[in-house]
Amino acid sequence: MFGAPIAWQTDPMSTIRGARERARIEVTAAIKDEARRQLAAEGAAKLSLRAVARELGMVSSALYRYFPSRDDLLTALIVDAYDAVGEAAEAARDRTGGPAGPHPDRWLAVAGAVREWALAHPHEYALIYGSPVPGYTAPQDTVGPASRVGQVLIGVVRDAHRTEGLAVPPQDPLLRAEGARMAADLADDLPPAVAVALVSAWAQLFGLISFELFGQFTRVVEAREELFRHAVRELGRSVGLLDGRRPGGGGGAAGAGA
Amino acid sequence: MFGAPIAWQTDPMSTIRGARERARIEVTAAIKDEARRQLAAEGAAKLSLRAVARELGMVSSALYRYFPSRDDLLTALIVDAYDAVGEAAEAARDRTGGPAGPHPDRWLAVAGAVREWALAHPHEYALIYGSPVPGYTAPQDTVGPASRVGQVLIGVVRDAHRTEGLAVPPQDPLLRAEGARMAADLADDLPPAVAVALVSAWAQLFGLISFELFGQFTRVVEAREELFRHAVRELGRSVGLLDGRRPGGGGGAAGAGA
DNA sequence: TCCAAGGCAAGAGCAGTGCTCTCTTTTGTG
DNA sequence: CACAAAAGAGAGCACTGCTCTTGCCTTGGA
């Protein structure tokens, strides 16, 4: 316990210097917690610095010692949200088989975990995958955490590629260069056509979740989980994952509880 | 009150009764125009009733004679946005072949038109397909216009089904009932599996557009239009559209007429 | 141990918001 | 023409994000 560097959020200096630093960390966390509470309750647009301060028993101006502006608070929440959904995805991946495991099941488990997280935290999901807030454009701090889910999806496909192989989709001649560039950026051992399909599937996955969450499926889709699982399985096939249970394209049965 | 025709609301063509009505219509339109201007410039969250009134040379309270609240103004803009993107989709459909025309091309044209509209009106797109605004939940008035794009996509696939047939995707047993229900609701002459694929493709299409528009593709995708066209073509195949230029593929056999 | 420095909270205040009320002006119609 | 309905004007309330100044008090060094 001693030698282990506890990952204290942002501070790489492991030693907690004094009561002052500690208090600062605690207050910062308390502010974010309360802000997250209000976010969950009312949405990003109604998140009010003054209300957060009020709830914490401090005056609004004091809060500016911790976050220079409302947008900075929002940015912190965005980073946390990306981390939370990324963590959910990683946990689902690790819970479902190993690098050699049943790849379609892992793919589905990851996607399902993202959906579950989104349904449980709709406003936080909207914060990161909905329209950009107020007049806000994502700062640099968010790009790392933002890629975690994508990395997990890439990892699942890469594992499949290494252990079992992929049914590499046909190459679109217009995307030859772009596919090569993507593959080099994302996973240099994957065929370009797979990289293309992967990025497409990534965006489409969130299209399914967003439509469900933002009410577009109201009065259109009833069996949402079933539709999701079906579509996600098809997305898995589109990136080349080999579904043992359905070699040609028949119907798969249940699987992979959560 | 007896002889008075009450429901003109939606039909301004019918006998504009007097200068007063005309003025009301004009002022209402001016308010919406200015609001749309501010929406395009700054986004929905920064749309201010007072600023709109100021720009129009009226006092803010006067604006409440036309829209009972800010949310009502937003709702009007939402309806207009749905209508605009729906109109763009319909125009693209009508511009590209006829009911017998090259179905994958029509499909791609419609999707491309939606994307073009979104790129040209990002804030309006975010208003309707991004996260629900402030604490706002879509009222009944929006359900009609909201379905126009979906109707166009359905229409293209239905035309294909009637004239050329579809490569009906395999039926997922877990979605048998849901698929039948959807088909009955959306297009009763389409096979249930096609209805399922259509709804999935619909959501996934907007996933692609949203990711591009909301910055998720930053530093990931360069050739965005090419990727979009590729993915949309694949979505077309997934609903059963027969691509003459590439007969093989995952879907398998053609045929399956009415 | 004492003391200056700086982190921190508090309060007042500014400019802006959505919305409601009251009062006055305009305007179409009996 | 007279009158009621519609529309505009203005003040005001409660709220917002943010800034600035004023003190308190913890902290680190002498």
Side-chain angles (χ1 to χ4, degrees):
Chain A
M1 270 300 188
F2 266 46
I6 300 173
W8 258 127
Q9 282 296 95
T10 50
D11 196 40
M13 296 300 193
S14 51
T15 45
I16 298 177
R17 316 266 270 199
R20 197 150 224 171
E21 261 80 346
R22 175 167 306 186
R24 188 173 178 82
I25 290 172
E26 276 174 15
V27 174
T28 304
I31 291 171
K32 285 206 294 186
D33 281 352
E34 176 58 31
R36 213 179 339 262
R37 257 206 53 245
Q38 294 194 15
L39 176 64
E42 298 270 26
K46 292 204 173 170
L47 172 62
S48 151
L49 280 189
R50 290 183 112 113
V52 170
R54 207 180 302 131
E55 210 66 25
L56 260 46
M58 54 196 334
V59 83
S60 73
S61 59
L63 219 147
Y64 285 82
R65 299 265 166 202
Y66 299 89
F67 296 93
S69 81
R70 185 179 178 276
D71 275 6
D72 289 85
L73 214 198
L74 236 15
T75 301
L77 295 183
I78 286 174
V79 170
D80 286 1
Y82 273 127
D83 274 329
V85 67
E87 206 165 318
E90 289 162 10
R93 174 200 58 193
D94 298 338
R95 210 185 306 121
T96 312
H103 307 301
D105 288 354
R106 296 183 92 202
W107 173 268
L108 181 57
V110 170
V114 174
R115 173 172 174 270
E116 292 294 331
W117 184 89
L119 290 176
H121 308 85
H123 284 114
E124 290 180 70
Y125 177 88
L127 193 60
I128 56 182
Y129 291 111
S131 37
V133 184
Y136 172 90
T137 49
Q140 204 64 17
D141 333 11
T142 67
V143 305
S147 65
R148 284 179 69 170
V149 169
Q151 289 301 322
V152 175
L153 293 174
I154 291 172
V156 169
V157 174
R158 184 193 275 137
D159 286 343
H161 179 56
R162 286 179 181 159
T163 62
E164 197 183 30
L166 294 171
V168 180
Q171 169 85 275
D172 184 330
L174 290 175
L175 284 169
R176 194 186 304 262
E178 177 74 357
R181 204 190 49 70
M182 280 182 189
D185 283 1
L186 304 176
D188 52 5
D189 51 342
L190 288 180
V194 171
V196 167
L198 202 34
V199 170
S200 303
W202 173 54
Q204 291 171 8
L205 162 64
F206 284 92
L208 291 165
I209 296 174
S210 292
F211 259 38
E212 175 174 353
L213 215 65
F214 297 161
Q216 229 73 30
F217 281 170
T218 310
R219 270 181 293 277
V220 176
V221 181
E222 292 292 331
R224 295 176 189 169
E225 177 161 0
E226 288 78 5
L227 181 75
F228 179 79
R229 296 170 66 90
H230 173 77
V232 166
R233 239 184 318 250
E234 289 299 316
L235 284 177
R237 277 171 34 86
S238 81
V239 303
L241 295 186
L242 303 165
D243 189 344
R245 280 166 305 190
R246 191 216 275 172
Chain B
M1 278 297 190
F2 262 45
I6 304 181
W8 56 27
Q9 187 82 356
T10 46
D11 192 5
M13 285 313 199
S14 64
T15 48
I16 298 176
R17 313 244 283 201
R20 197 152 223 172
E21 262 81 347
R22 175 167 303 182
R24 187 172 179 85
I25 289 172
E26 275 173 16
V27 173
T28 304
I31 291 171
K32 286 205 294 185
D33 281 353
E34 176 59 30
R36 213 179 341 260
R37 257 206 54 245
Q38 294 193 16
L39 176 65
E42 299 269 26
K46 293 204 172 170
L47 173 63
S48 152
L49 279 188
R50 289 183 112 111
V52 169
R54 207 179 303 130
E55 211 66 25
L56 260 47
M58 54 196 333
V59 85
S60 72
S61 59
L63 218 147
Y64 285 81
R65 301 266 173 206
Y66 298 88
F67 295 94
S69 82
R70 184 179 179 280
D71 274 5
D72 289 85
L73 214 199
L74 237 15
T75 300
L77 295 183
I78 286 173
V79 170
D80 285 2
Y82 273 127
D83 275 330
V85 66
E87 205 164 321
E90 289 162 10
R93 174 201 57 193
D94 298 338
R95 210 185 305 120
T96 313
H103 306 300
D105 288 354
R106 296 183 92 202
W107 174 267
L108 181 57
V110 169
V114 174
R115 173 172 173 270
E116 293 294 330
W117 184 89
L119 291 175
H121 308 86
H123 283 114
E124 289 180 71
Y125 177 87
L127 193 61
I128 56 181
Y129 291 111
S131 38
V133 183
Y136 172 89
T137 49
Q140 205 65 17
D141 333 12
T142 67
V143 305
S147 66
R148 285 179 68 168
V149 169
Q151 289 301 324
V152 175
L153 293 174
I154 292 171
V156 169
V157 174
R158 184 193 275 136
D159 286 345
H161 179 57
R162 287 180 181 159
T163 63
E164 198 182 29
L166 294 171
V168 180
Q171 168 84 276
D172 184 331
L174 290 175
L175 284 168
R176 193 185 304 263
E178 178 74 356
R181 206 191 48 73
M182 280 182 189
D185 282 2
L186 303 176
D188 52 4
D189 49 343
L190 287 179
V194 170
V196 167
L198 202 34
V199 170
S200 303
W202 174 54
Q204 292 172 9
L205 162 64
F206 284 93
L208 291 166
I209 296 175
S210 293
F211 260 37
E212 175 174 353
L213 215 65
F214 296 161
Q216 229 74 30
F217 280 169
T218 310
R219 271 181 292 278
V220 177
V221 181
E222 291 291 332
R224 295 178 188 167
E225 177 161 359
E226 288 78 5
L227 182 76
F228 179 80
R229 295 171 66 90
H230 173 76
V232 166
R233 239 184 316 251
E234 288 300 315
L235 284 176
R237 277 171 34 86
S238 80
V239 303
L241 295 186
L242 302 165
D243 190 344
R245 279 165 305 192
R246 193 215 274 171

